[in-house]
Amino acid sequence: MSRYGTAGRFLLLCAVWGTAFMATDVGLADLPAVPFAAVRFDIAAALLFVAVVAADADIRPHTRDDYVYVLVGGVLTIGAHHAFLFAGQRYVTGGVAAVLLGLVPVVTPALTRLVSTEEEFTAATALGVVLGFVGVVVIADPDPANLADSVFGVSLVLASALAFAVAAVVTHSRSPSMPFLSTQAWMMAIGAVVLHAAVIAVPGQSFAAATWTPSALAALAYLSAVAGVGGFLLYFTLLDDLGPIEMSFIEYVIPVFAALAGWLVLGQEVTPATVAGFGFIVAGFVAAKWRTLRGT
């Protein structure tokens, strides 16, 4: 496929995942955060298992890498990541949450260094982490009137980003033998189980508090089928075409679509603090990955 076609798919994925933050804001108006996330991945897992059966793909894990990949991916990438993210979006907008997730490419090199001596933790990496942290502080811009809520919301989204980064580091060296559709189906199913367990464990996250309005159901359908199944399939096909360096830039394009969707549809304000914090996070990523980016 041409470079223009690849760029188009890249922007399409950014738009799909960026508007997912807006859809999450819509759903959270009527649904508790963790039950909302749990049902989303119930539906996504069911759709993927149907696709696995239709494709007559191997559905059984066989190797150690199979088990580690789907367990870590399910518990952290799907379960913990989305539980913290959805909970955090009760206190910060989808646009702010999308910007905060831009810390993932900045934090990952530091985490990788902890588990692999092959990754060099340089002064540039340290500078990147510091700049990213400054960006988070700028974005938080806590209002003295609701300081606790502001800081708590940002902390939850940062925990979401950390869970995603840790999962990426752990699964990076794994080579599952199962087909891609099967690994994604199992990851989403395991993540859904984790999220249902969180519904029981976390106070105030009962299904009884949910109001299944038409807007909530529409948001759930979009997040499950379009952003969930379609988004992940599109992401991994692009990853094969572009490689991890270029694909990491998705974390810096998604916030543009998230903020734009929130502004156009929900009337959410894009504050100067959000823009400035985003600039610091991008600068941190460039500092941390400068040698790689220059070489590429």
Side-chain angles (χ1 to χ4, degrees), residues 9-20 40-41 44 47-48 78 82 164 180-181 184 188 221-239 247 250 254:
R9 289 183 294 145
F10 181 90
L11 290 175
L12 174 62
L13 178 58
C14 292
V16 167
W17 277 359
T19 51
R40 171 192 175 181
F41 287 103
L47 291 174
L48 279 171
I78 303 299
H82 288 91
F164 193 91
F180 166 67
L181 275 178
Q184 294 301 302
M188 292 194 183
Y222 180 83
L223 289 169
S224 302
V226 181
V229 175
F232 275 106
L233 294 178
L234 184 57
Y235 171 80
F236 279 97
T237 59
L238 279 168
L239 189 62
M247 274 307 294
I250 195 171
I254 285 176

Side-chain angles (χ1 to χ4, degrees), residues 13-191:
L13 178 58
C14 292
V16 167
W17 277 359
T19 51
F21 286 93
M22 182 268 295
T24 302
D25 284 345
V26 171
L28 288 173
D30 300 301
L31 303 174
V34 182
F36 183 18
V39 175
R40 171 192 175 181
F41 287 103
D42 286 340
I43 298 171
L47 291 174
L48 279 171
F49 275 117
V50 168
V52 169
V53 173
D56 195 25
D58 186 5
I59 201 172
R60 292 179 54 198
H62 297 286
T63 67
R64 180 190 176 106
D65 278 1
D66 287 342
Y67 285 102
V68 172
Y69 190 91
V70 299
L71 283 173
V72 172
V75 172
L76 294 181
T77 305
I78 303 299
H81 170 64
H82 288 91
F84 285 129
L85 177 60
F86 277 41
Q89 279 192 248
R90 298 196 71 90
Y91 305 96
V92 299
T93 68
V96 171
V99 171
L100 289 171
L101 289 180
L103 274 176
V104 170
V106 178
V107 173
T108 300
L111 294 173
T112 305
R113 176 59 180 162
L114 294 177
V115 299
S116 173
T117 57
E118 296 178 0
E119 282 289 331
E120 186 180 4
F121 190 84
T122 64
T125 304
L127 176 61
V129 173
V130 171
L131 287 172
F133 179 76
V134 171
V136 172
V137 174
V138 172
I139 290 169
D141 190 24
D143 182 354
N146 61 345
L147 180 62
D149 284 351
S150 177
V151 173
F152 185 56
V154 169
S155 299
L156 287 171
V157 178
L158 287 179
S160 170
L162 184 61
F164 193 91
V166 169
V169 170
V170 174
T171 59
H172 176 69
S173 61
R174 303 294 170 174
S175 300
S177 64
M178 288 190 299
F180 166 67
L181 275 178
S182 300
T183 59
Q184 294 301 302
W186 279 115
M187 282 172 57
M188 292 194 183
I190 292 169

